[in-house]
Amino acid sequence: MRKVSILIALMLMAPVVAQARTDGALRPSQATRQGQPSSTTASISLNAETIELTLSDAIYLGLRDNRAIRSAYLDRIAQKFDLRVAEDRFTPKLVLSGGYLSSRNQDDRYRESTVTPTTTLLTPYGTRVSLGWTYRHTQADQAGLSRNDGANISLIQPLLRGAGKDIATAPVRLARLSEQANRLNLKSTVSQTITQVIASYRTLLQAQEQLKISRESLQRARQLLEVNRAMIAAGRMAEFEIVQTEAEVASQELAYEEARNQTDTARLALLQLLALNLNTPIVATEALQARRVDVNAAEALRQAEALQPAWLSQLIYSEQATINLAVARNDRLWDVSLVGGASQIRDRNTLSGSARTWENYVGIQVEIPIGDLSTRQAEVQAQVNVRNQEIQLAEARQQLERDVANAVRDIGTRWRQYEIAQRALDLSRRKLEIEREKLTVGRSSNFQVLSFENDLRNAENARLNALISYLNAQAELDQTLGTTLESWDISLND
């Protein structure tokens, strides 16, 4: 009971990495969602000490505790600060410096203190402005007290290299594009985790259903064994024919043990994905039902182009490569800049009095690199990167079209397979019922009944596998279109 109490408290905690949206709008790809998501509190059977977990419960627990998602959110802390640093590029920077120095020579002894605040500013057009003020206080044993202070301002305006708003703001634009890519990566991580949780949950559900099928098959085999014994006692069956049924019972017991093992394996896999204690006795309780979903291929492709994280990230990488090429080409230009500045200094001395001087200047400075291949190297690398991004963009476009086409076709195929499997199951049940009736009147054999029992078991498993495959195909479609979060009404807390 202690484990159950711990899990109750754990599940009552509010999710911290995702928030459910309340608009309730049905998206075209909202195939994985069966009804409204339940609350994050799972139902608990106290008698069996098991936790009944729905698919919605598993998803919200995964959003809160999954280690991959938690790690992705930790990475976002550093990524957001990187953007903040880049956007701080055009804000004034202030540096305060000071010092104290004691010295002596053959004539005198000096004690000097200095304070120098300096501020610098870079504008979005590449202009660099610097403003500073210096105060120096000197006390000498023989020369007495002297003080010196002054202010200076300087301005540099690039005309070629580093000039223009496009070049000066390139680092900020690159950082913002990186932030967009990082947000898309977070969305991709969360979507992939949700898809993994869905697949793992349904694997557990499938294992539980297969255990149920194995249990029912074992019960039918034992019932047939009792019928055989009654027929032998009545003299209507040879005693040696019961061996076939006894062998079938042993085979079904073996299959039942294997099904139990597969159920435990699937349960542990889901618990690890949800970052829960591996001893937690969870049971998947989602109803295994499906409805047909018709998806238009052209509409699905348009939706994927607007929402698919991998495709949108590739567009961002191509834009970044173009900006880097423009910066590399600009770096090859001569450094021609207009320069100007002014300064004023005031000296005060106990022996010579005070004096004031000033100076201003304006001009042009030129720096011409000769024989430096590094700038050409950077441009060549940027050009190659742009061409590579064009190739990768074409590849990503074709891959997107292929993935969407496969996902749309797959969901249609899985539905048809499910319908066929359902029809085959109904026929197998009817076939076995008829054969059992024939056995009771002596018009069939144990071998035929056991053969039809095997057919029914295979039909039940085929129907289950087809249903799980169809439901997983819906989740894969959402993943391909980039609509997983929208289908489950999840917004990123970012």
Side-chain angles (χ1 to χ4, degrees), residues 148-380:
N148 175 283
D149 65 279
N152 64 84
I153 183 173
S154 63
L155 183 145
I156 302 176
Q157 174 59 59
L159 300 179
L160 291 178
R161 186 197 303 173
K165 189 172 184 179
D166 290 342
I167 300 300
T169 60
V172 178
R173 288 186 291 140
L174 288 172
R176 288 173 178 169
L177 290 173
S178 296
E179 173 66 9
Q180 294 179 24
N182 292 332
R183 289 180 60 86
L184 288 173
N185 289 336
L186 176 63
K187 177 183 177 180
S188 178
T189 299
V190 175
S191 299
Q192 289 175 4
T193 301
I194 291 175
T195 304
Q196 291 172 1
V197 170
I198 292 173
S200 182
Y201 181 89
R202 286 180 176 146
T203 298
L204 175 59
L205 199 58
Q206 183 179 19
Q208 292 177 177
E209 290 297 317
Q210 287 174 339
L211 180 62
K212 179 181 177 182
I213 292 172
S214 296
R215 185 186 303 112
E216 292 174 350
S217 297
L218 178 59
Q219 291 174 354
R220 289 196 299 267
R222 288 173 175 171
Q223 290 172 0
L224 181 60
L225 181 62
E226 294 300 324
V227 171
N228 287 174
R229 288 171 178 169
M231 293 180 70
I232 291 173
R236 297 171 56 188
M237 177 182 289
E239 189 172 351
F240 66 85
E241 291 188 10
I242 200 172
V243 175
Q244 291 181 341
T245 307
E246 291 175 341
E248 178 66 14
V249 171
S251 297
Q252 293 308 314
E253 288 175 348
L254 179 62
Y256 179 73
E257 290 300 322
E258 177 61 24
R260 287 182 58 185
N261 180 61
Q262 293 297 326
T263 301
D264 287 338
T265 300
R267 179 181 62 84
L268 293 177
L270 178 59
L271 287 172
Q272 181 175 2
L273 197 59
L274 301 181
L276 296 177
N277 191 314
L278 295 182
N279 294 321
T280 306
I282 61 172
V283 175
T285 59
E286 192 79 9
L288 269 176
Q289 56 186 6
R291 58 182 178 85
R292 183 170 181 173
V293 176
D294 295 317
V295 182
N296 181 274
E299 177 63 26
L301 181 58
R302 285 193 294 270
Q303 197 167 24
E305 290 173 345
L307 297 173
Q308 221 281 338
W311 166 249
L312 296 177
S313 295
Q314 188 58 52
L315 293 176
I316 291 174
Y317 299 150
S318 297
E319 187 175 353
Q320 286 179 321
T322 302
I323 295 175
N324 286 327
L325 177 58
V327 173
R329 286 175 173 170
N330 181 266
D331 287 341
R332 295 197 64 200
L333 300 176
W334 293 0
D335 184 4
V336 180
S337 303
L338 290 175
V339 296
S343 64
Q344 178 177 289
I345 301 175
R346 181 176 60 177
D347 289 317
R348 287 173 291 178
N349 192 292
T350 56
L351 299 179
S352 60
S354 63
R356 186 188 301 268
T357 60
W358 61 271
E359 179 185 17
N360 57 48
Y361 61 92
V362 65
I364 188 171
Q365 66 181 20
V366 180
E367 180 180 325
I368 304 174
I370 299 175
D372 184 6
L373 294 179
S374 62
T375 54
R376 174 58 180 165
Q377 178 188 29
E379 183 182 8
V380 170

Side-chain angles (χ1 to χ4, degrees), residues 21 25 27 29-30 33 187 307 482-490:
R21 289 214 297 251
R27 275 73 180 182
S29 64
Q30 202 166 13
R33 188 179 178 198
K187 177 183 177 180
L307 297 173
T483 57
T484 301
L485 302 185
E486 288 76 7
S487 291
W488 287 93
D489 289 338
I490 295 170

